[in-house]
Each structure stands twice: as C-alpha cells, then as structure tokens.
C-alpha cells in the first residue's frame, strides 16, 4: 500500500523508534503513548482490519507480539501489560493497517485509555527506545 502510514514506516520512508523487526512483524514506539513504553506491533503484510488479515499472517505476527511484550516487561519492569487492537473508526481505529498496542501497566498507576499529557518529546522517545533495547 503506497499511501499507508504504517507501510511507509515498515519500508523506512517515515522514521520510527524501532523496537523489533523480523520477517513478519515490525514494532515501534507509539508517538502518543497511553503509558510509558506503549509500543505498536504491526504485521508487514498490509491489511486494514483484523478481519482481512490472512490467518497465516496473523500467526506470523503474534510471536512478535509476545516477544515484544516480554522485552518491555523485562526492560521496563512493569507489573502488567495491556494488549489492544482496534477495528473501525467507531472502535477508535485511526490508522488503517492492523496493529497491536502493547501498553505496559504499573501497580498504583491508573490504567488510562487516552494519550498521556504532555506528549513525550522525540528525544525522550529515543532515550526510552535505547532503554528498552539495553543500549
Ligand atoms: P489506533 O487508534 O488503534 O488506530 O492507533 C493508531 C496509533 O498509531 C495511535 O496510538 C497513534 O498515536 C499511533 N501513531 C500514529 N502515527 C504514528 C507514528 N508516525 N509513529 C508512531 N505511532 C503513530
Ligand atoms: Zn499498510
């Protein structure tokens, strides 16, 4: 898909704070995070919604979802992990390329379902990426 935002990120045409990549999946920090470490895991195969993602592509991306969730938990020492996937504008979907939100959660902190304010600066996200990757 030439004009899909996440396809452009996967191809490297738009910069991202990359966390993980394999043959089937690409993961990067969400720039409007609901919580510290909020990461998106996307299949490299373009499908707008879960209903149109071929099952074999879904099977290809889910190990990356688990692997990135584990990486976030280990590096950020979070207590829990939310996994969210939205389909359709009425569900809150804004980017029409299937994606899985991983949102680290912490004891004693409210589990908000909206972007943190203020939105983190690029420098902060770069530092967080490095922390997650153990750089
Ligand atoms: P959804 O509402 O489920 O479609 O989620 C789309 C997500 O993509 C939102 O959480 C946005 O903050 C995030 N997003 C949009 N553009 C970018 C981008 N260029 N880099 C990283 N995350 C993005
Ligand atoms: Zn796409």
């Amino acid at each position: 898909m030439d004009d899909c935002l996440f396809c452009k990120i996967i191809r490297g045409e738009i910069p991202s704070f990359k966390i993980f990549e394999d043959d089937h999946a690409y993961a990067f920090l969400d720039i409007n995070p609901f919580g510290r470490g909020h990461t998106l895991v996307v299949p490299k195969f373009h499908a707008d919604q879960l209903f149109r993602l071929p099952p074999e592509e879904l099977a290809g991306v889910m190990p990356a979802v688990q692997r990135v969730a584990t990486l976030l938990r280990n590096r950020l020492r979070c207590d829990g992990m939310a996994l969210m996937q939205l389909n359709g504008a009425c569900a809150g979907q804004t980017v029409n390329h299937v994606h899985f939100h991983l949102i680290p959660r912490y004891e004693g902190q409210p589990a908000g379902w909206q972007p943190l304010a203020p939105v983190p600066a690029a420098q902060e996200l770069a530092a967080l990426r490095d922390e997650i990757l153990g750089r």
Side-chain angles (χ1 to χ4, degrees):
M1 285 289 284
D2 291 348
D3 58 351
C4 168
L5 174 63
F6 287 173
C7 283
K8 285 181 178 171
I9 286 178
I10 292 164
R11 292 196 297 264
E13 294 167 14
I14 290 177
S16 67
F17 298 98
K18 184 166 105 173
I19 299 296
F20 177 76
E21 181 175 12
D22 66 12
D23 288 348
H24 301 281
Y26 189 98
F28 53 103
L29 293 179
D30 195 304
I31 54 172
N32 292 296
F34 287 18
R36 187 168 189 271
H38 183 162
T39 298
L40 302 175
V41 186
V42 308
K44 287 190 170 176
F45 183 95
H46 177 89
D48 62 342
Q49 296 187 358
L50 183 65
F51 313 105
R52 285 177 281 281
L53 186 66
E56 61 273 21
E57 299 294 341
L58 179 62
V61 73
M62 289 316 285
V65 172
Q66 186 185 44
R67 182 165 172 171
V68 173
T70 303
L71 178 70
L72 293 172
R73 189 185 57 166
N74 291 345
R75 295 286 188 188
L76 300 181
R77 301 264 163 235
C78 55
D79 303 301
M81 182 71 60
L83 171 60
M84 179 173 85
Q85 199 277 317
L86 307 176
N87 299 279
C90 65
Q93 184 181 15
T94 59
V95 178
N96 293 324
H97 180 128
V98 173
H99 50 282
F100 297 86
H101 297 255
L102 285 170
I103 309 168
R105 296 302 196 187
Y106 299 86
E107 299 282 359
Q109 290 185 12
W113 299 102
Q114 57 198 13
L116 299 173
V119 169
Q123 212 177 357
E124 211 179 316
L125 291 174
L128 179 58
R129 179 219 29 222
D130 290 348
E131 181 181 341
I132 293 166
L133 297 181
R135 289 179 179 166

